[in-house]
Amino acid sequence: MRLPIDRDPKCPFDPPQGLQGLPPMSRLEFADGHQGWLATTLEAARTVLGDPRFSARTELKHSAVRSTMPDGGRRPAPPGFFAATDPPEHTRYRRLLIGQFTVRRMRLLEPRIERIAADHLDAMAAAGPPADLVTAYALPIPSMVICELLGVPYEDHAFFQDRSLQIVTAGGDVDGAMADLGAYLHTLVRRKRAEPGDDLISGLTGDLTDEELATAAMILLVAGHETTANMLSLGTYALLTSKKKYEEGMVEELLRWLAIVHLGAPSRAALEDVEVAGEMVKKGETVALSLPMINRDPEAFEDPDTLRPDRPDARRHLSFGHGVHQCLGQQLARIELSIGYRALFDRFPALRLATTDVPLKHDAAVYGLTRLPVTWD
């Protein structure tokens, strides 16, 4: 089977059509013709992501969707690209970075995130309805927060947001965008070495080379705003269209129900023969994971297609991954989403869609909205 990448526009929150009823591990023909696998259940996915016999290295994996890069993206990751490394190399990067994203440190950012959210809501209120929630609120909040955390000047946000979009969009100029961001961040790293500040990049100049630090910062910069921004806007859209009120503690259920990372990502390559869910994955075969299906696994979640604010086991979702590569910034994302949703609906309790014409991003690795026109009384 080939991987269907589009969700039904009539049911934009449901997993891609054509995946329903599949076994935990199904044969999948990848874009380059590779015969690999697709994992669709929570148990199978946790096995693949948690087993060291599966590799995250890009030169070993095949892409489930067609790549615009000449080599299909199958090349060794540059130094510092910790998301595409295995232990012990990954362990070294992880130990250096994990201390920057502890729960305690993220909670210290809460007053600043609340201030950023309030400032943008003030601006929305002053301008009056309607407003595009993506550009006025959902995108600026995580962008400003990750910029301040890394030490990246926010006045350059238009540049890095454009390049980030190229990286996560199917058919985008990934190589060009990464080269542009890499050059920009190399210059910034050198500046931080000469004039360090109170930020993550400055704090790591003594542990990583310029290339390693610029590459690691690029991953954090792109992931730190693109995913959270899409969750803020798409989660708001889901609540408005389903007529459900936002309730405290609802973030985990929204993360489970929406599963905005799709297109077969993440994936792993078998370093040796490994049995998963009764199927033998041969050495060299790639396993892609369908997070929309995994987070709707009926064996793991009761009534999985229903958005339930009180779901007790929602946190079992794999939207932040699993194993040694579990998302570094997950605590920051949780705080941003919790503050973002709460502040928005507290300020505008009568918030509603201004139009039914809401464009969905079907061709991006991060599923979301290009704009979200809203209005209020």
Side-chain angles (χ1 to χ4, degrees):
M1 121 181 137
R2 284 188 173 272
L3 181 64
I5 63 172
D6 280 349
R7 302 187 186 188
D8 183 353
K10 297 178 183 178
C11 303
F13 307 117
D14 291 340
Q17 292 182 311
L19 297 185
Q20 290 80 2
L22 291 178
M25 293 287 288
S26 298
R27 272 298 186 184
L28 178 68
E29 181 181 346
F30 286 58
D32 60 2
H34 173 71
Q35 297 297 312
W37 297 89
L38 181 69
T40 61
T41 65
L42 186 70
E43 183 179 359
R46 289 173 66 90
T47 297
V48 172
L49 294 176
D51 194 322
R53 292 174 295 176
F54 285 99
S55 174
R57 289 162 54 192
T58 47
E59 73 270 27
L60 301 179
K61 300 190 298 181
H62 295 260
S63 176
V65 296
R66 196 167 302 283
S67 172
T68 57
M69 293 182 278
D71 54 7
R74 301 192 70 217
R75 65 185 75 165
F81 204 100
F82 58 88
T85 58
D86 296 334
E89 184 181 10
H90 174 266
T91 306
R92 179 174 74 91
Y93 290 131
R94 184 88 181 187
R95 284 175 178 166
L96 290 172
L97 292 167
I98 194 66
Q100 307 291 329
F101 292 94
T102 62
V103 174
R104 183 185 67 83
R105 294 193 68 166
M106 294 304 99
R107 285 179 177 163
L108 292 175
L109 294 174
E110 287 185 17
R112 177 57 182 151
I113 298 171
E114 289 170 347
R115 181 71 265 161
I116 292 172
D119 287 347
H120 284 83
L121 291 172
D122 288 345
M124 283 174 58
D132 174 12
L133 198 73
V134 172
T135 56
Y137 188 70
L139 188 55
I141 292 175
S143 294
M144 290 187 73
V145 172
I146 196 64
C147 280
E148 292 183 7
L149 188 63
L150 292 176
V152 174
Y154 182 68
E155 55 264 28
D156 296 331
H157 69 277
F159 163 77
F160 68 73
Q161 285 171 359
D162 173 75
R163 300 311 188 273
S164 297
L165 190 60
Q166 289 290 322
I167 291 172
V168 302
T169 300
D173 182 10
V174 178
D175 276 350
M178 290 184 68
D180 288 348
L181 275 177
Y184 169 83
L185 289 167
H186 265 93
T187 300
L188 182 62
V189 167
R190 289 193 292 269
R191 191 189 315 157
K192 296 291 184 180
R193 286 195 189 279
E195 300 175 11
D198 184 20
D199 55 70
L200 186 149
I201 292 177
S202 296
L204 291 175
T205 53
D207 299 299
L208 298 172
T209 66
D210 285 3
E211 184 179 9
E212 287 178 316
L213 188 46
T215 302
M218 177 167 56
I219 298 173
L220 296 172
L221 183 63
V222 174
H225 78 272
E226 186 69 32
T227 51
T228 306
N230 279 284
M231 267 302 303
L232 273 174
S233 58
L234 194 61
T236 300
Y237 180 49
L239 292 170
L240 295 179
T241 54
S242 64
K243 307 298 183 183
K244 293 183 182 291
K245 290 186 177 181
Y246 176 73
E247 300 177 24
E248 206 62 37
M250 199 174 187
V251 166
E252 298 300 333
E253 175 66 348
L254 285 169
L255 285 163
R256 181 199 72 84
W257 196 65
L258 292 172
I260 61 171
V261 177
H262 64 149
L263 297 186
S267 62
R268 295 289 186 267
L271 297 174
E272 57 184 85
D273 293 356
V274 185
E275 183 176 342
V276 180
E279 300 287 354
M280 185 60 68
V281 180
K282 297 292 187 180
K283 178 181 179 180
E285 291 182 336
T286 297
V287 181
L289 280 67
S290 173
L291 290 184
M293 290 298 296
I294 291 161
N295 284 352
R296 301 281 190 96
D297 180 2
E299 295 297 320
F301 303 100
E302 183 182 357
D303 191 18
D305 292 329
T306 299
L307 180 63
R308 288 175 41 185
D310 61 344
R311 187 180 296 276
D313 57 353
R315 202 179 178 105
R316 295 182 67 203
H317 65 77
L318 293 190
S319 293
F320 291 121
H322 175 69
V324 297
H325 283 278
Q326 195 169 28
C327 176
L328 276 169
Q330 61 180 293
Q331 303 305 336
L332 176 59
R334 287 185 168 103
I335 291 170
E336 289 175 326
L337 292 170
S338 180
I339 291 173
Y341 290 133
R342 182 179 67 244
L344 174 65
F345 288 104
D346 283 351
R347 184 62 174 273
F348 301 119
L351 191 75
R352 60 187 183 275
L353 297 178
T355 176
T356 57
D357 180 23
V358 178
L360 298 161
K361 291 191 289 189
H362 289 276
D363 61 344
V366 181
Y367 187 67
L369 306 172
T370 56
R371 58 184 177 85
L372 180 59
V374 294
T375 188
W376 58 90
D377 298 327

